[in-house]
Amino acid sequence: MTVSLRDARNYPAGRSWIESVFHEYLEALSAVSMNTGMFPVRGEFGDREPDMLARWFNDDSSYPLLILKNNLPVGFAVVSRPLLSNRAQLDYRMAEFFVVANQRRLGVGRDASRLIFKRFAGRWEITELKADTIAVAFWRAVVRDSSSGKYRERTENGEVKQYFDSSATPVK
């Protein structure tokens, strides 16, 4: 299995693919948020949903990436730069991360995240909903492995956050 990344900003077919799975992504988020209001349910934004995607592609501080397995799209990630006021502590945030259901638990997400951490070497923040125990376990394992255990974790306001420096430790 070969996992790779492609910049989706300048790849119209990649953007179209992300748009095609956007509702699946929103449904997955709303399922784990347990109707907390943190994530929209499908159709909640109606005509504004394309605006949410457009922001990923038009914001200079975000990097939409297509996740490929054997050159076929199976997921996406959006890496973002933090607000200017936070850049003294952080270089990057994992703003969005999604792998289609039939490709989960096959190592695709793990391999993609490692590629992302290499491509965007620096100080990271990864955030998950505490209630999303699968995402918390996934990111703990990936961050622990990618940082050789040199990370810190904080839980607050229903979120779990991991912090580490991908440039300090060679990502496996």
Side-chain angles (χ1 to χ4, degrees):
M1 166 184 73
T2 302
V3 174
S4 60
L5 303 172
R6 184 158 188 180
D7 180 352
R9 187 183 311 271
N10 299 312
Y11 181 51
R15 182 177 179 152
S16 293
W17 186 86
I18 291 171
E19 290 171 352
S20 76
V21 297
F22 187 67
H23 287 293
E24 183 181 346
Y25 170 65
L26 288 179
E27 287 173 5
L29 287 177
S30 63
V32 298
S33 70
M34 294 180 275
N35 299 320
T36 62
M38 292 185 80
F39 297 104
V41 294
R42 185 175 180 181
E44 179 179 342
F45 291 114
D47 294 339
R48 292 186 342 188
E49 287 179 6
D51 295 337
M52 294 171 65
L53 282 164
R55 187 181 64 224
W56 295 352
F57 289 91
N58 295 323
D59 182 352
D60 290 341
S61 65
S62 80
Y63 306 91
L65 304 166
L66 193 62
I67 299 171
L68 305 167
K69 176 182 170 187
N70 300 327
N71 292 318
L72 297 173
V74 294
F76 64 85
V78 179
V79 173
S80 69
R81 300 275 292 151
L83 297 172
L84 287 173
S85 60
N86 292 337
R87 289 191 186 168
Q89 298 85 24
L90 287 174
D91 297 309
Y92 302 104
R93 295 182 62 252
M94 188 68 71
E96 314 293 338
F97 192 87
F98 177 73
V99 175
V100 295
N102 69 351
Q103 295 299 310
R104 295 180 193 154
R105 300 193 179 274
L106 300 175
V108 173
R110 178 199 63 223
D111 291 353
S113 63
R114 289 176 180 166
L115 291 171
I116 292 167
F117 299 149
K118 283 181 184 179
R119 185 172 184 169
F120 297 93
R123 298 163 300 169
W124 277 87
E125 176 186 74
I126 312 287
T127 303
E128 315 85 58
L129 280 176
K130 185 178 178 181
D132 190 350
T133 56
I134 293 171
V136 171
F138 169 79
W139 285 112
R140 278 182 178 151
V142 167
V143 169
R144 182 177 42 250
D145 187 48
S146 297
S147 69
S148 297
K150 296 177 183 173
Y151 72 99
R152 62 186 173 86
E153 184 173 291
R154 186 172 74 197
T155 302
E156 63 182 13
N157 300 322
E159 295 179 325
V160 177
K161 298 180 179 190
Q162 292 88 18
Y163 300 90
F164 71 103
D165 190 338
S166 68
S167 62
T169 306
V171 179
K172 299 176 184 177

